[in-house]
Amino acid sequence: MKTADFDFHLPEDHIALRPAEPRDSARLLVVQDGGLDDRIVRDLPDFLRPGDALVFNDTRVIPARMPGSRHRTGPEGETLSVAVEATLHHRDAPDVWSAFMKPGKRIKPGDRIVFGSQRDFALTADGLEATVVSKGEDGLVTLRFALSGPALDDAIRDIGVMPLPPYIAAKRAEDDRDRTDYQTVYAAHDGSVAAPTAGLHFTSALLDAIRAKGVSTHAVTLHVGAGTFLPVKVDDLSEHRMHSEWGTVSEETAEALNRVHANGGRIVCVGTTSLRLLESATGEDGVIGPFHGDTAIFITPGYRFRAVDVLMTNFHLPKSTLFMLVSAFAGTATMKAAYTHAVEAGYRFYSYGDGSLLFRG
């Protein structure tokens, strides 16, 4: 398969810069049995049945975009400094993160990075420094911090800003409102550097309505990495490498979801992150098991889904791995028709945009 097979035209003015208010008033395109139905997120219970299970990703977004400066000793012993920015990607140890650095070409192993803007330097004197341990592809580096564990977490919260997707950050600055808007109402575990955006549509009232319908709700955790924003740079999809992300499915949740299937219910994933994690945790026999570790699962058309029956997700970028995933789930022709309709009908795209409800093709 070729990356170009998943291209489509999206006008710039369809990219949402703020979420709908209230959250569950966003539009919802229901894609089922070859038909398209224009609804709103608040209508979601209409498409669920008693005995179904709704699965959420309860990760919490951290303020993972961090300004700073790179310090290096010059040929005459002088200190050479340049402004840099890190977007944290994956926690490798209590004091180690992999991160995407800008400008990445200027970073070398051994460099000392001091994080914080000019106004934050009093804080960095307390130790928010890191050493570049290694450098990989796409500007990805390994950083070992002078702080560790909860102390490092606190410093990141003080210095970092919410890592808005590039297509939003290019159009406006992050502000205090994003600290709430870019977080699900059920977020519980710190670790993501990007929101599981389908979950941004949920309100407490909508969750109550879903449970009143006889639908059970379950949480898994996948810490979304900054690699989710990277474009596919190869023409042949067999050459694309996914960045890994850490996730966990508890034994209790796995057993509960297996019972749902055994009793004839459907597993409905809220977001591609929960879907990717459940599919990673499911064996060839369709049995979901406990999972704890990294996954780099890459789902394209031809993949045989083992666990998930229905998917709620936002509208994704052209030629992205997520548009490939939804094409695998509901059918490439079906999704191209759905996206054409969404563009023509004025749906709002991407992280703060509208949603879709997909039934497996």
Side-chain angles (χ1 to χ4, degrees), residues 82-100:
V82 64
V84 296
E85 181 179 273
T87 299
L88 301 179
H89 169 62
H90 185 284
R91 191 166 201 158
D92 302 326
D95 61 342
V96 177
W97 276 87
S98 60
F100 291 96

Side-chain angles (χ1 to χ4, degrees), residues 151-192:
L152 176 57
D153 298 340
D154 290 342
I156 290 170
R157 276 191 290 270
D158 288 337
I159 285 178
V161 297
M162 292 299 275
L164 289 181
Y167 42 79
I168 295 177
K171 295 176 180 293
R172 68 167 179 83
E174 178 267 351
D175 56 31
D176 287 343
R177 179 177 163 186
D178 291 305
R179 293 246 172 177
T180 300
D181 286 348
Y182 202 55
Q183 203 78 266
T184 64
V185 296
Y186 45 77
H189 302 289
D190 285 355
S192 273

Side-chain angles (χ1 to χ4, degrees), residues 251-273:
E251 183 174 0
E252 178 185 11
T253 296
E255 290 175 352
L257 295 178
N258 286 325
R259 285 196 299 271
V260 167
H261 268 169
N263 293 330
R266 300 171 301 180
I267 293 177
V268 182
C269 272
V270 176
T272 56
T273 59

Side-chain angles (χ1 to χ4, degrees), residues 196-277:
T197 55
L200 298 179
H201 297 299
F202 284 80
T203 63
S204 296
L206 179 57
L207 290 170
D208 288 343
I210 289 167
R211 291 167 182 141
K213 188 76 180 277
V215 175
S216 60
T217 57
H218 309 267
V220 297
T221 305
L222 181 77
H223 292 326
V224 189
T228 190
F229 298 136
L230 292 179
V232 177
K233 296 181 179 180
V234 297
D235 295 326
D236 187 336
L237 292 183
S238 65
E239 300 174 0
H240 178 67
R241 181 179 67 85
M242 293 283 284
H243 288 278
S244 65
E245 297 167 316
W246 183 91
T248 183
V249 179
S250 71
E251 183 174 0
E252 178 185 11
T253 296
E255 290 175 352
L257 295 178
N258 286 325
R259 285 196 299 271
V260 167
H261 268 169
N263 293 330
R266 300 171 301 180
I267 293 177
V268 182
C269 272
V270 176
T272 56
T273 59
S274 57
L275 178 146
R276 292 177 63 243
L277 182 55

